[in-house]
Amino acid sequence: MKTIVRTMFAILMLILEAVTVSAQKTNLVDHNCQSTISRSISEAGENGEIPHIRTKKSEFNIITGPELKPLNFISFSEKYYRSQVQKVDTSIFALTIPYWKKLSPAQKQVEIETQRINNADRADAAHKNNNIKHQLIYMVNNTSQEIALQMQDHSFIGVLEARIGKNNWRSVQYLHFSWCGNSYILKKIPAGSKAYFITPMLTGNYKTTLRYKILGKDKFYYSNEFQGNISYCDLYDTKYSPKEKLEAFAKYHIYE
């Protein structure tokens, strides 16, 4: 309950800050951009092949780049759908299927079989989608301490940043925060362990230096810098500043 209350307070403050923050002025050339920046989308892996990558000793490494593509990536969603093929959980059908209670036993068996087939199709679709046109973000804990990262609904909380000038970084994605306190967990990566997630492959007409910014329990972690393509319009801030949202979320310390 204490964690849920803190989560709700943090989200409320995020909304207030998002509404009041002003657009940041830049020296970028306006190319008549009409659309806003894109939403950050990622999903953590439950299983799959992880490539052998050279990492720095005694550091927490976050490594990515366009060349890192998922190999037999299995997401939490796919794993769940596969489990529902083996044994369909009917305990929630009264909530998810309005007519469930009105069905006869024979009709319920037909519905269960239909759901089993649908779950198999969903699992196959998730696997196919996650293993094409996605980029792998690979995390290795080479420190002697456990690393804790914040997650929301099986996605690590983080955004893509682009470098402007010599060392000025700007978020080019925003985050959609959940109102449900149960959405948030700490993913603990023990010393000597690995974790990974995928995000859609970057496309666009503007090539620049990029990195990922990931939210830990009480600090940010950054990936290596890499070259990638984004839309030029992604560089424009709006009054719903993604950088403010992410940093505001971090400072409320939900997991104390």
Side-chain angles (χ1 to χ4, degrees):
M1 179 60 70
K2 186 176 180 181
T3 297
I4 295 176
V5 171
R6 284 178 173 168
T7 302
M8 297 301 292
F9 173 73
I11 295 172
L12 177 61
M13 295 305 296
L14 282 171
I15 294 174
L16 292 175
E17 292 193 26
V19 171
T20 57
V21 66
S22 299
Q24 300 179 11
K25 295 192 178 294
T26 71
N27 57 2
L28 297 171
V29 178
D30 190 347
H31 284 250
N32 297 317
C33 295
Q34 301 297 321
S35 60
T36 59
I37 55 180
S38 61
R39 176 180 172 182
S40 174
I41 301 174
S42 68
E43 187 158 9
E46 289 287 317
N47 200 355
E49 300 175 30
I50 302 178
H52 296 287
I53 302 173
R54 181 177 297 179
T55 58
K56 297 180 180 179
K57 296 181 179 180
S58 304
E59 292 186 17
F60 178 58
N61 297 264
I62 303 177
I63 303 172
T64 189
E67 73 283 357
L68 285 181
K69 298 178 174 60
L71 300 171
N72 193 32
F73 180 89
I74 299 175
S75 66
F76 174 87
S77 298
E78 179 187 346
K79 184 179 179 181
Y80 171 77
Y81 290 137
R82 299 285 182 207
S83 71
Q84 293 303 296
V85 174
Q86 300 298 321
K87 184 178 181 180
V88 178
D89 180 10
T90 61
S91 64
I92 61 171
F93 279 10
L95 297 174
T96 60
I97 304 177
Y99 53 83
W100 175 254
K101 291 183 178 180
K102 298 179 181 180
L103 299 180
S104 67
Q107 289 173 323
K108 287 183 177 180
Q109 284 302 122
V110 173
E111 184 65 34
I112 290 172
E113 185 59 28
T114 299
Q115 293 297 323
R116 191 190 312 277
I117 295 172
N118 290 343
N119 285 326
D121 291 341
R122 293 185 186 109
D124 290 343
H127 188 84
K128 180 179 179 180
N129 179 67
N130 289 336
N131 283 279
I132 59 173
K133 297 182 180 180
H134 278 76
Q135 183 171 319
L136 179 71
I137 292 85
Y138 182 59
M139 299 177 288
V140 184
N141 184 6
N142 284 338
T143 73
S144 59
Q145 304 293 324
E146 180 181 79
I147 299 293
L149 303 175
Q150 295 193 40
M151 297 187 74
Q152 173 190 294
D153 297 328
H154 309 290
S155 295
F156 291 99
I157 298 176
V159 294
L160 181 70
E161 292 188 323
R163 187 168 67 189
I164 309 297
K166 290 186 177 181
N167 198 31
N168 183 26
W169 292 89
R170 176 173 302 156
S171 299
V172 293
Q173 292 177 329
Y174 72 91
L175 284 162
H176 176 74
F177 290 100
S178 171
W179 278 95
C180 179
N182 292 328
S183 294
Y184 299 95
I185 63 170
L186 275 180
K187 172 69 174 180
K188 297 180 179 179
I189 306 175
S193 297
K194 306 170 185 177
Y196 58 105
F197 64 96
I198 57 169
T199 188
M201 187 67 71
L202 305 169
T203 59
N205 57 4
Y206 185 74
K207 188 173 184 179
T208 187
T209 302
L210 305 168
R211 70 180 183 185
Y212 280 94
K213 181 178 182 179
I214 309 298
L215 181 58
K217 180 180 179 181
D218 54 9
K219 63 181 293 186
F220 291 111
Y221 295 96
Y222 298 90
S223 77
N224 61 296
E225 299 175 12
F226 62 96
Q227 293 295 304
N229 285 70
I230 60 173
S231 168
Y232 186 83
C233 291
D234 289 342
L235 297 172
Y236 286 89
D237 289 335
T238 70
K239 65 180 180 179
Y240 303 105
S241 171
K243 182 177 180 181
E244 290 296 324
K245 282 188 176 182
L246 187 58
E247 293 188 351
F249 189 81
K251 71 184 181 184
Y252 290 113
H253 305 298
I254 292 174
Y255 296 102
E256 286 181 340

